[in-house]
Amino acid sequence: MKPGRRIGFDFGDVRIGVAVSDRSGLLSTPLDFITNSPETLEREISKLLTEYDPIYIAIGHPLHLSGSESAKSVGSRNFALLIAALTQVPIFLVDERMTTISATKTLREAGHNSKSARSEIDSVAAAAILDSALNQERLQGEPMNRFVE
């Protein structure tokens, strides 16, 4: 795998989960979520891009269980457009079906109740999205579903 950090996002109307990989692309680590606020969103994303200098970005793409696009897919596509305006690195839309369920289970197994896990769930889901992209990269050379404006 190509060396360099990758960033994963779990887009939400209120909070946006964030995760980053190590330079080797083996591990993803949840970071603090970003509040989805028009006043601060671009600045917060720009800070992340500057700090981590990713080689690509993975954004969760919410699909129905059937695989068809959902109403929330529009939000993740618009979020991808915002990020594309801030960077030239490749952006991938990653199927995020079941990531929130998986993240909830992971936090529950770590001893967090649903109330205490609420602030962490989005970034744990972002780590699951990034892990999925990393697995696709290992198998195919890059994640599937490259976002093109």
Side-chain angles (χ1 to χ4, degrees), residues 103-122:
T104 302
K105 181 180 176 198
T106 299
L107 288 170
R108 190 176 304 124
E109 289 172 353
H112 296 271
N113 64 35
S114 60
K115 192 175 243 182
S116 70
R118 198 171 292 145
S119 65
E120 298 175 54
I121 192 77
D122 300 302

Side-chain angles (χ1 to χ4, degrees), residues 49-83:
L49 295 173
T50 300
E51 181 175 353
Y52 293 105
D53 190 27
I55 60 172
Y56 71 73
I57 296 167
I59 299 173
H61 190 61
L63 301 171
H64 291 294
L65 288 177
S66 67
S68 62
E69 296 249 336
S70 72
K72 290 210 172 245
S73 296
V74 174
S76 69
R77 284 187 182 280
N78 288 337
F79 182 64
L81 284 170
L82 170 76
I83 292 177

Side-chain angles (χ1 to χ4, degrees), residues 11 19 26 54-55 58 62 80 87 90 103 109 111 124 134 146-147:
F11 179 80
L26 293 176
I55 60 172
T87 185
E109 289 172 353
V124 173
L134 291 169
R146 189 175 188 144
F147 177 73

Side-chain angles (χ1 to χ4, degrees), residues 25-44:
L26 293 176
L27 302 170
S28 63
T29 304
L31 302 177
D32 290 336
F33 68 84
I34 298 172
T35 301
N36 189 352
S37 162
E39 296 81 35
T40 61
L41 189 57
E42 283 187 39
R43 183 178 69 238
E44 292 299 316

